[in-house]
Structures are given as structure tokens and as C-alpha cells.
Amino acid sequence: MNLYRSLLWWLALAVLGALAWHWFSQDLGDVVVRFRGLTYTTTLAYFVLAWGLLWFALWALWWLLRLPLRAWRRHAHQLARSRLVSGLEALHQGRWQRAEQLLAKAADDPALRTPALLGARRAAAARGDAEAAAKHQAALLKHDAAAGALDQAERLLQQGRAEDALAALSGLPMPRPPRAGRLQAEALVAAGRAAEAQALLNGLRRDQALDADGLAALELKITAASLAQASNANTLQQAWHALPQRLQHAAPVATAFARRAAPLGLEDAGALAVADALEANWDESLAALYGRLPAGRDSQRLARAEAWLAAHPSSPGLLATLGCLCRAQELWGKAEDYLHRALAQGAGADAWESLGHVFTAQNDAGRAQIAYANALRLGRGEPALPLDGRSLRQQIADQAVAEIRNAHGIPLLPP
């Protein structure tokens, strides 16, 4: 096929050459040029040829005259590229002043100005020179408004100025880069407008703005924030029922729904959501939250939590939850046993505080003070004080881990 095309091309050139020769061989007339009393007479064919040679000579002369200028520009561009590479390496190494100097010089090349100014601004900000950083930012906005707006929006978002970040992103031309959509979604969440951010998820997924794990994490963050920001019970319930089951069973989403449902009078719905999420995917934070939720009209919460104990006998979150639920029903002995087991399995300050409430309800002021003090000490990272009133047998039982077997009856190692 290539040989055939080449043959056609050479045949076409031959035909054009023959036509040109035929045209020049004819008598096309003469050309007469008179200048200051001088008369020049020649044929049209020679005049056209001479005119073409004259223009070629002028072009060649212009090319030769510009040759030093092109060589100088090429050298300047190579020097700017070298400065850009060295400046980025210095920025990576944390040599802020050298990085800023090299990148500021590299910004003199228009082709390299955007990345050079971005690096120079970051270097100036890293060394604490706010004036130089603002100068580089202004130059970047003037040269490349889109890149400058993206960088400014990210910086404002890191400073907690979500509305200003949204204002910076609003001026970007369409179509916007994928990073702009991600920044807008995060800014909407931070500004308390997570419901609007949910509409951006499909676009982010289509543009592959994040990898699969990053997109899943952002989806969980946006979904949990939209539930936490629900203005009333109807809005919260509608948003919850519209979610797929995989999101309802995610720990951050179930936590956000339960925490928001409690002050809106949906305590039982929140507790049920946490229980369903726990039964689908066990999570220690959800197990601990289940006992801290306000009491509703559901009287089966304690029985449901105790049913989980067979599968998770050493869960500190579940044991602390059982202690809280027993305390709510004034089952002081069971509450104390569960909380001691929770502390022996690694529970923290919340379990000590709950244990202090149990002792207070039983008018045991001495041990209550120690429990409350331990809650404060653990919050400060200090070791807990010893607590009397627990026999050696009980202490051994608290620290013992029940044997867990699989479906075939084979013992499993504790998690």
C-alpha cells in the first residue's frame, strides 16, 4: 500500500513538472521594468524565476540574521528548565530558600511559568515568608488563572475557610479539571453543605479524580456529613432510607445517623442502625457507641447486646456497652462486672467514667473518686490508679478470654 501511494505521488510530481515545463516553454510575453531612466526587458518565465530566487535570498538572509537570537533563546530555555528541575529537587529536599530562588528565575520562561510559580509559592510559604508567597500567588493568578485558583482553593480549605475556597473555585472556566471537583466537594462538606457535595460524586467517579479507595473514603465522608447536617427528622429519615445497604452498614455512616437521630427524637432508629451495622461488619467504635446512645422505647437493647457477647467475648467496646446498658436498668452488679472486664480488655476513659457512675449510684464515694480520677488520668496519658474491692479470682476472670471456635469446632486465636 505504501509503495502504491509513493508511485502515485511521484507520478503526480512528474505530471506537474511536465505541465510547468510546457508552460515555461511557451512564449508568455515580456516583462519591462523602467527605473530612473533605465529599462529592463526579460521574459515572464525568467522574471518569475528571478522573483522567486530574490524572495528565497531574502528569507535566507533573515534566517541567518535571526540565528544568534534563536540560539540565545534556546540556551535560555534550557537554562530555565535546568533551574526548574533543580528548584523542584530543592523543594523536595526542604531547602526552601534555594528552591524559591531557582523557581523564581525559572518563571521568566513563559512555557515553564506555571509550575515554577507554584513551586516558588510553596517554598516561600514553607519558610514563613507570607509576603513573598502572596507575590508569587498574584503572579500565578495573572499568568494562569485556573492553576492559581486551584492552588488558592486548596490552601484556603486547609485554613478552614471553606466559603472562600468555594468562591475561588467558582471562577474556573468550564470544563473544570477533576481536581476542582474534589476540592469543591470537600469545601461543601466543610461549609455544612454536604447534600450538594453528593451531586458531585458521579462526576468525580467519571473523571477518575481519585483512586478507588480514595473515592470510597470521600463518599463515606460526604454521606456521613450529609446525615450529620440534616436539619430535621424527616430530612434525616429520607436521606437514610435513600442510601444503599453498603453505606448504611459502614461504621462512619451509621455513627453519623445515630448521633444525629438522638437529638431529633429517633433514638430507637439510631440504635437499630448501629445494631444492623454491627451485625453486618463488626466495628469496635460502633460497639462502644451502642451503649452510649440515649435510651429509647426499645427494651431489647441489652438482650441484643448480650447475644453478641458469644461471638465477641473480649471486645472492650461491647463490654463497656453492656456495662452502660446494665447501669441504665440499675443492674449494678452486672454493670460493675462488665465494666471491670472491659477495662481488663483495654477499654479507656469512658469505661472508667461509667464505672464511677455505678459506684456513685451505690453510694461508694471512695471507689467512685478513684474511677473518675482514672478517667481523667487516662485522658492525660497517665497510668490508672489501683482500685480495691476486686478479688484475685475476679481479676483473673476479668482478664480471661473465652475460647472462640470456628464452624468446624477448631479453636481460634483471639483477635
Side-chain angles (χ1 to χ4, degrees):
M1 190 67 182
N2 290 334
L3 179 62
Y4 178 71
R5 288 180 179 177
S6 300
L7 182 61
L8 290 179
W9 173 250
W10 287 110
L11 286 175
L13 287 179
V15 172
L16 289 176
L19 291 175
W21 176 260
H22 176 72
W23 185 75
F24 276 107
S25 64
Q26 294 179 354
D27 186 9
L28 300 177
D30 297 331
V31 176
V32 179
V33 179
R34 293 186 177 90
F35 180 72
R36 293 184 178 275
L38 299 177
T39 301
Y40 301 94
T41 303
T42 185
T43 63
L44 178 60
Y46 282 109
F47 177 78
V48 172
L49 181 61
W51 185 258
L53 291 174
L54 176 62
W55 275 107
F56 176 76
L58 291 175
W59 173 83
L61 179 62
W62 177 249
W63 185 84
L64 290 173
L65 290 176
R66 294 186 59 193
L67 188 59
L69 181 61
R70 285 199 302 271
W72 178 82
R73 287 179 177 175
R74 189 179 302 111
H75 173 72
H77 182 68
Q78 292 176 349
L79 183 60
R81 289 182 61 183
S82 176
R83 287 171 175 168
L84 177 64
V85 172
S86 300
L88 292 177
E89 289 180 351
L91 184 65
H92 178 69
Q93 296 169 0
R95 301 161 64 185
W96 313 124
Q97 187 169 5
R98 174 173 172 78
E100 183 184 0
Q101 292 175 352
L102 290 172
L103 293 172
K105 291 179 180 178
D108 294 337
D109 191 325
L112 307 176
R113 189 166 297 165
T114 296
L117 287 174
L118 281 170
R121 191 207 63 78
R122 292 173 185 173
R127 67 184 183 86
D129 192 342
E131 183 178 355
K135 178 182 176 181
H136 297 313
Q137 180 68 28
L140 179 62
L141 288 171
K142 182 178 180 181
H143 172 69
D144 190 343
L150 280 177
D151 187 68
Q152 186 179 26
E154 184 174 19
R155 181 167 47 85
L156 292 171
L157 189 58
Q158 291 174 352
Q159 296 174 358
R161 300 164 58 185
E163 293 292 347
D164 293 336
L166 290 172
L169 291 171
S170 63
L172 286 176
M174 300 298 291
R176 300 190 308 173
R179 185 183 172 201
R182 179 179 64 82
L183 289 175
Q184 184 181 11
E186 293 180 354
L188 286 171
V189 171
R193 297 157 57 185
E196 300 177 35
Q198 284 187 313
L200 302 176
L201 285 173
N202 290 333
L204 294 176
R205 190 176 292 108
R206 182 183 62 251
D207 296 336
Q208 296 182 350
L210 293 167
D211 59 7
D213 293 338
L215 189 60
L218 181 60
E219 183 180 21
L220 286 178
K221 180 180 179 180
I222 292 175
T223 305
S226 65
L227 293 174
Q229 296 169 8
S231 58
N232 53 64
N234 290 333
T235 303
L236 180 63
Q237 286 184 317
Q238 290 176 2
W240 175 255
H241 292 305
L243 295 178
Q245 193 176 62
R246 63 177 181 84
L247 289 178
Q248 290 182 349
H249 291 168
V253 177
T255 299
F257 175 74
R259 291 186 181 277
R260 185 56 182 150
L264 295 177
L266 302 174
E267 298 89 349
D268 293 337
L272 180 61
V274 172
D276 290 342
L278 278 171
E279 292 177 353
N281 301 295
W282 186 262
D283 184 87
E284 280 296 314
S285 63
L286 282 180
L289 175 65
Y290 190 70
R292 296 197 301 266
L293 294 175
R297 292 183 294 272
D298 186 5
S299 60
Q300 301 300 318
R301 286 176 61 183
L302 178 59
R304 193 170 191 177
E306 287 180 331
W308 298 331
L309 195 60
H312 307 279
S314 59
S315 169
L318 177 58
L319 292 169
T321 281
L322 288 170
C324 292
L325 294 176
C326 289
R327 178 171 59 87
Q329 297 187 18
E330 299 183 358
L331 303 174
W332 310 120
K334 291 182 65 176
E336 185 176 348
D337 289 339
Y338 280 133
L339 290 172
H340 277 294
R341 286 178 59 187
L343 291 170
Q345 299 301 327
D350 291 340
W352 277 113
E353 184 178 356
S354 296
L355 189 58
H357 296 334
V358 171
F359 291 145
T360 301
Q362 299 178 85
N363 298 319
D364 191 344
R367 289 201 295 173
Q369 290 179 356
I370 296 177
Y372 289 138
N374 284 339
L376 295 175
R377 291 175 66 87
L378 262 64
R380 295 194 296 262
E382 300 176 2
L385 299 173
L387 184 66
D388 298 330
R390 202 72 174 162
S391 67
L392 180 60
R393 181 178 180 180
Q394 290 174 320
Q395 295 177 20
I396 294 175
D398 293 339
Q399 296 179 358
V401 178
E403 185 179 65
I404 305 175
R405 295 177 178 268
N406 61 13
H408 304 287
I410 300 175
L412 300 176
L413 292 175

